[in-house]
Amino acid sequence: MPRSAHVVVCAAPPATAVSELVEALMRAGWAVDLLPTATAADWLDLPALEALTGQPIAGGTRGRAERRRVGRPDAVIVAPASFNTINKWVAGINDNAALGLLNEVFGLRVPTIVSPYVKDTLAAHPGFRRSLALLAEWGATVTERDALRPERPGRPYRWNVIVDLLPAAG
């Protein structure tokens, strides 16, 4: 049985290519469940991603009739992680399904990888730097800011940064 990775996708440029991350995770033996933020959901081809993962995808807030994610994932990945989601998560704000999962991560003791993708002007905000430091202090693995950025314009995003941080699936 493949190990389970829940992937929170935020609205940042790499979100448009998140299928590449999903494919890399699946090649490495992970079952993937995507949870985009409401804004990110508008950037994604949700039917194509559902077909790829074999899992339904719901963005934004979870309605009463929507399924609740069942079971403890083996890993949680936040990529790309936006300024907004990172700061709301650290503040304990729980106003959407993605933040609901993220706020439970530390209580579940699930290995978590956070890969921020934030423009320079937002990254300069003192609260953002503090939020990243707190996530790391709380046990999350935080990549360098923009670690996903392609080596050169027009090249693929560097999803291997995340995949390489995960233990081999069994």
Side-chain angles (χ1 to χ4, degrees), residues 7-10 14-15 18 21 77-81 113-115 148 159 162:
V7 178
V8 173
V9 182
C10 302
V18 76
L21 171 61
I77 298 164
V78 189
I113 298 168
V114 183
S115 193
L148 300 176
W159 298 113
I162 293 167

Side-chain angles (χ1 to χ4, degrees), residues 27-42:
R27 279 193 306 272
W30 292 84
V32 179
D33 195 356
L34 283 179
L35 184 56
T37 64
T39 305
D42 290 338

Side-chain angles (χ1 to χ4, degrees), residues 31-143:
V32 179
D33 195 356
L34 283 179
L35 184 56
T37 64
T39 305
D42 290 338
W43 295 31
L44 305 176
D45 181 345
L46 297 179
L49 289 166
E50 286 180 344
L52 180 60
T53 64
Q55 297 293 326
I57 298 171
T61 57
R62 184 177 59 86
R64 286 185 314 150
E66 287 181 56
R67 78 176 175 95
R68 182 175 176 86
R69 282 175 164 63
V70 184
R72 179 184 182 276
D74 296 299
V76 171
I77 298 164
V78 189
S82 68
F83 176 88
N84 190 48
T85 296
I86 288 168
N87 288 316
K88 286 174 110 176
W89 180 16
V90 169
I93 295 170
N94 208 45
D95 64 358
N96 62 57
L99 286 167
L101 169 67
L102 295 178
N103 284 318
E104 291 181 356
V105 157
F106 297 113
L108 292 171
R109 300 190 185 280
V110 174
T112 303
I113 298 168
V114 183
S115 193
Y117 200 93
V118 176
K119 62 184 176 179
D120 293 341
T121 53
L122 291 176
H125 189 286
F128 179 70
R129 291 190 304 269
R130 185 173 40 248
S131 291
L132 292 179
L134 284 171
L135 289 173
E137 180 182 317
W138 296 342
T141 299
V142 180
T143 70

